[in-house]
């Protein structure tokens, strides 16, 4: 999947936080355009449980007819990863 980047202008005024850090006037966002499909079922108590059924990448412009599953990205586990999140 290709990561797309966009820049979003904010109000145009720089904002200074109490600790002296100055926030930028634009925010850069990286994202992967994808289609999320949700489904639901009724549990043993009669409550509806909703869940993410699949997440598919349809190309940088969303034009691929058959999407590629992003599940391997989320299922990827690194044994040598020290990061807790």
């Amino acid at each position: 999947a290709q990561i797309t980047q966009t820049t979003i202008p904010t109000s145009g005024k720089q904002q200074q936080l109490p600790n002296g850090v100055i926030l930028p006037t634009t925010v850069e966002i990286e994202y992967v355009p994808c289609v999320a499909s949700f489904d639901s079922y009724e549990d043993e108590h009669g409550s509806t449980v909703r869940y993410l059924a699949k997440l598919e990448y349809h190309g940088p412009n969303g034009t691929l007819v058959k999407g590629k599953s992003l599940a391997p990205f989320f299922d990827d586990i690194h044994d040598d990863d020290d990061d807790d999140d």
Side-chain angles (χ1 to χ4, degrees):
Q2 178 181 351
I3 295 176
T4 305
Q5 186 173 13
T6 189
T7 301
I8 299 174
T10 57
S11 65
K13 294 182 180 179
Q14 287 187 338
Q15 181 181 5
Q16 186 169 357
L17 300 177
N19 63 359
V21 172
I22 297 176
L23 298 177
T25 58
T26 59
V27 176
E28 291 184 7
I29 300 172
E30 292 184 351
Y31 62 94
V32 175
C34 60
V35 174
S37 298
F38 295 86
D39 205 346
S40 65
Y41 64 90
E42 190 174 297
D43 69 9
E44 63 274 3
H45 303 292
S47 298
T48 300
V49 177
R50 292 180 178 86
Y51 63 94
L52 176 62
K54 63 182 177 178
L55 193 60
E56 294 180 323
Y57 175 68
H58 288 265
N61 298 316
T63 56
L64 295 178
V65 175
K66 183 174 178 164
K68 292 178 154 185
S69 175
L70 291 175
F73 172 79
F74 292 102
D75 293 340
D76 189 22
I77 298 174
H78 299 283
D79 293 332
D80 60 345
D81 189 1
D82 293 338
D83 195 2
D84 290 335
D85 48 51

